[in-house]
Amino acid sequence: MKFQATEQLRTAAARLARLAPEQPLVPMLACAVFRCGHGQSSDNSVTLNIPVDVGGAEFAVNAVRLSAALSVAGPEAELSLGEAQLTIKGGRFTARIELLDTHAFPWTDMPTASRLPAGDIIKAIQAVSPFASGNGWSSVVALSGSRAMASDGASLLITAPGVPDIDCSLPAKAAQIAVLLSGDANEINIDDHALTFFSPDGSWLRASLVSTEWPNVSSLIPDPSALPSAPLGLWDAVSQVVVFGDGPVCLAGNLVSRDSAEIAIDFALPNCAFLADVLFVVAGVSSHIDLTKYPRCPFGNPMSGVAGSISGVRHA
């Protein structure tokens, strides 16, 4: 069976390939399956489904190799489906990709339950998911009390406005992939097992939920509008010294310093020290911070609604 590569197929293959694990435990976790006018890939925690016309063919191949072959073969690529391999030809280029067993892939049907407007849920998850790390509750993104929440488990708690009436937890990796691949989602569906994002083009992404319970952090979430503005020049100074050395960023007097570099600002600072990468993150999302509450300083941005707290570190 032969069919032409289309722009729709190239785009779908590229998106499906981004979900494939770099070193999958089994080949099926790195494959793209095409069936009934759809392409689908999954890493067990996230499933992506994209409408795509492959001329009625049904097959499964390594997603990364398919995307790469279509890219190199160019817009005039022709695909030929044999018994054991998919051949892709374009100009002087030919690639032969082994076919995988489509029945071994855990195909997921589109959820049919009622949907809700996505609102700002994508923006909320995008704001907090990069900061979830570690184990237990600090490795998930929580959606609760109309807010999205994440933490690094030690130094940083960050929250952003979410969607009312949603209470669930996503693995941090699943949340990050969901944002990456469903940035234009306009509807969501939630059940006991997964949160699904639906996009206007007919594609959908389903992220598995986890049952990890978050601690009560409400007392650590400030009202951003009640916080003092960050000292003038502080965030610029942090961004300028953060690349120097390996130690914490220290604030003292009117100096912002890190190891071999320091810069003066026109503001008297309390004696503080923070992990450099964490403070740099806060500098990028916050316009307000109360350094007088050190060693745990509340921060926020009244415009975006982002709010949280950052903990200081010991420094000689």
Side-chain angles (χ1 to χ4, degrees):
M1 179 179 181
K2 294 184 179 181
F3 55 96
Q4 291 296 125
T6 62
E7 185 61 30
Q8 182 192 42
L9 175 57
R10 276 189 289 273
T11 300
R15 292 181 66 192
L16 294 170
R18 296 179 79 173
L19 186 55
E22 294 183 3
Q23 296 180 327
L25 296 177
V26 293
M28 293 310 295
L29 291 181
C31 84
V33 177
F34 296 87
R35 179 190 298 174
C36 302
H38 293 265
Q40 191 170 118
S41 61
S42 176
D43 71 350
N44 265 355
S45 65
V46 176
T47 298
L48 176 63
N49 186 287
I50 303 174
V52 58
D53 182 12
V54 290
E58 181 176 317
F59 61 94
V61 292
N62 181 282
V64 174
R65 294 175 185 174
L66 173 64
S67 178
L70 290 173
S71 177
V72 175
E76 303 300 322
E78 181 182 74
L79 291 79
S80 178
L81 187 62
E83 292 186 3
Q85 65 185 23
L86 176 69
T87 302
I88 301 175
K89 293 183 178 181
R92 299 182 179 183
F93 174 80
T94 301
R96 299 173 182 85
I97 306 175
E98 177 188 5
L99 294 179
L100 302 171
D101 181 8
T102 58
H103 299 290
F105 180 82
W107 184 269
T108 301
D109 294 324
M110 183 178 71
T112 57
S114 60
R115 304 180 187 181
L116 299 170
D120 291 329
I121 190 171
I122 293 291
K123 293 180 181 178
I125 295 176
Q126 185 177 34
V128 304
S129 61
F131 314 119
S133 62
N135 299 306
W137 61 268
S138 62
S139 65
V140 302
V141 170
L143 301 172
S144 179
S146 299
R147 297 194 72 82
M149 301 182 290
S151 173
D152 67 355
S155 301
L156 178 69
L157 167 69
I158 185 167
T159 73
V163 177
D165 304 322
I166 292 181
D167 191 352
C168 64
S169 294
L170 295 168
K173 180 183 177 183
Q176 292 158 8
I177 293 174
V179 168
L180 178 67
L181 298 179
S182 291
D184 60 347
N186 62 347
E187 292 182 310
I188 59 172
N189 160 260
I190 187 169
D191 57 33
D192 292 339
H193 306 290
L195 177 63
T196 306
F197 302 84
F198 299 92
S199 297
D201 65 359
S203 63
W204 50 267
L205 183 145
R206 186 170 172 84
S208 298
L209 302 180
V210 292
S211 59
T212 302
E213 293 290 336
W214 260 59
N216 185 353
V217 296
S218 57
S219 63
L220 302 177
I221 303 174
D223 174 4
S225 62
L227 298 174
S229 297
L232 185 64
L234 173 61
W235 295 146
D236 287 340
V238 169
S239 65
Q240 290 166 354
V241 304
V242 73
V243 298
F244 294 93
D246 302 309
V249 170
C250 299
L251 315 180
N254 69 330
L255 295 179
V256 179
S257 64
R258 188 184 191 196
D259 292 353
S260 58
E262 62 183 34
I263 186 168
I265 66 172
D266 296 326
F267 194 92
L269 299 167
N271 291 338
C272 304
F274 302 95
L275 293 176
D277 55 345
V278 176
L279 187 61
F280 184 68
V281 163
V282 172
V285 299
S286 174
S287 59
H288 291 56
I289 188 169
D290 189 350
L291 294 173
T292 66
K293 302 295 186 182
Y294 187 82
R296 181 175 286 277
C297 301
F299 66 85
N301 186 323
M303 296 295 293
S304 67
V306 168
S309 63
I310 178 174
S311 296
V313 295
R314 293 181 179 274
H315 182 63

